[in-house]
Amino acid sequence: MRIAVLVSGNGSNLQALIDANLSGQIIGVLSNKADAYALERAKQANIATAVVSHKDFPNRESFDEAMHQQLLAWQIDLVILAGFMRILTPSFVSQWQGKMLNIHPSLLPYYKGVNTHQRVLNTGDRFHGCTVHFVTAELDAGQSIAQSAIEVHLNDTVETLAQRVHKLEHFIYPQVAEWLCNGQLTWRDGQAFFNQKPLEQPIQFAQF
């Protein structure tokens, strides 16, 4: 399976995917920001890179089409979003339906969108974590595949929660990517299947 990773920043999840030695191959790393450190991580791993800056396009549709053309040029089978900070158009998403993953720093369906760590602290939740899901046109609403949770401590801050959730992300994201690469996880007719059975609930990894 030929994989592309879309990034905008530091690329710690990209590094976790590189280090996991997936049975698929990361063919290219695409960023909307030329100064994203994730691009340097890719170069150090001898992975092709491309920069498609959203600032160079008049609208989201033309930006997404340029990314789509780069993915086609790389002959990509699977797109992994790893800290990619642009909302994708429905047209782009539909072309990669069932072939695009994202990871979100909350236990979806709770806390879609941004500032998840602060919102968890504000509401006093006992548990927090991350979710790997298929990407759909609705933000953070695609079918959840896997989750991992931590217990929120009384002395936790936004920073400590972010650090702890990042560790979960680095563990479960490569695992889900590998399931797609080796065929354990598939997508048919708008539904995820795991080991040939419909995935009714996200797979829960042990809490850390």
Side-chain angles (χ1 to χ4, degrees), residues 105 114-123 128-129 150 152-167 169:
V114 298
N115 301 322
T116 60
H117 310 307
Q118 185 62 62
R119 289 156 69 193
V120 163
L121 292 174
N122 291 348
T123 52
H128 187 32
I150 52 171
V152 180
H153 300 153
L154 288 175
N155 61 345
D156 265 322
T157 63
V158 168
E159 290 74 22
T160 61
L161 275 182
Q163 290 173 358
R164 295 170 65 209
V165 170
H166 261 133
K167 290 182 180 178
E169 293 179 12

Side-chain angles (χ1 to χ4, degrees), residues 11-68:
S12 64
N13 270 312
L14 168 64
Q15 191 66 55
L17 291 162
I18 292 171
D19 293 345
N21 293 315
L22 301 171
S23 57
Q25 182 181 2
I26 301 176
I27 298 297
V29 173
L30 188 156
S31 179
N32 64 311
K33 294 185 176 182
D35 62 350
Y37 183 68
L39 295 171
E40 181 61 31
R41 295 180 187 271
K43 291 171 184 174
Q44 290 174 6
N46 295 314
I47 297 170
T49 61
V51 176
V52 180
S53 174
H54 57 280
K55 296 179 181 179
D56 294 340
F57 297 88
N59 51 47
R60 288 170 54 199
E61 287 75 16
S62 56
F63 166 64
D64 281 10
E65 179 59 25
M67 290 197 300
H68 179 64

Side-chain angles (χ1 to χ4, degrees), residues 57-184:
F57 297 88
N59 51 47
R60 288 170 54 199
E61 287 75 16
S62 56
F63 166 64
D64 281 10
E65 179 59 25
M67 290 197 300
H68 179 64
Q69 292 303 318
Q70 178 62 67
L71 297 176
L72 292 179
W74 281 337
Q75 299 179 301
I76 294 304
D77 303 306
L78 171 63
V79 178
I80 299 180
L81 307 182
F84 185 68
M85 303 306 292
R86 303 296 298 177
I87 295 176
L88 299 166
T89 57
S91 174
F92 181 89
V93 171
S94 68
Q95 294 176 96
W96 296 96
Q97 193 82 53
K99 301 176 182 177
M100 184 158 54
L101 295 177
N102 189 32
I103 192 162
H104 183 71
S106 79
L107 298 172
L108 292 172
Y110 300 103
Y111 307 113
K112 297 176 182 179
V114 298
N115 301 322
T116 60
H117 310 307
Q118 185 62 62
R119 289 156 69 193
V120 163
L121 292 174
N122 291 348
T123 52
D125 288 8
R126 283 191 59 207
F127 295 99
H128 187 32
C130 57
T131 306
V132 180
H133 63 94
F134 281 111
V135 178
T136 59
E138 183 182 348
L139 185 66
D140 300 328
Q143 183 172 359
S144 295
I145 303 161
Q147 294 181 323
S148 188
I150 52 171
E151 190 165 358
V152 180
H153 300 153
L154 288 175
N155 61 345
D156 265 322
T157 63
V158 168
E159 290 74 22
T160 61
L161 275 182
Q163 290 173 358
R164 295 170 65 209
V165 170
H166 261 133
K167 290 182 180 178
L168 302 184
E169 293 179 12
H170 298 161
F171 177 72
I172 75 168
Y173 213 5
Q175 181 63 71
V176 174
E178 179 57 28
W179 288 339
L180 268 172
C181 290
N182 66 27
Q184 278 186 277

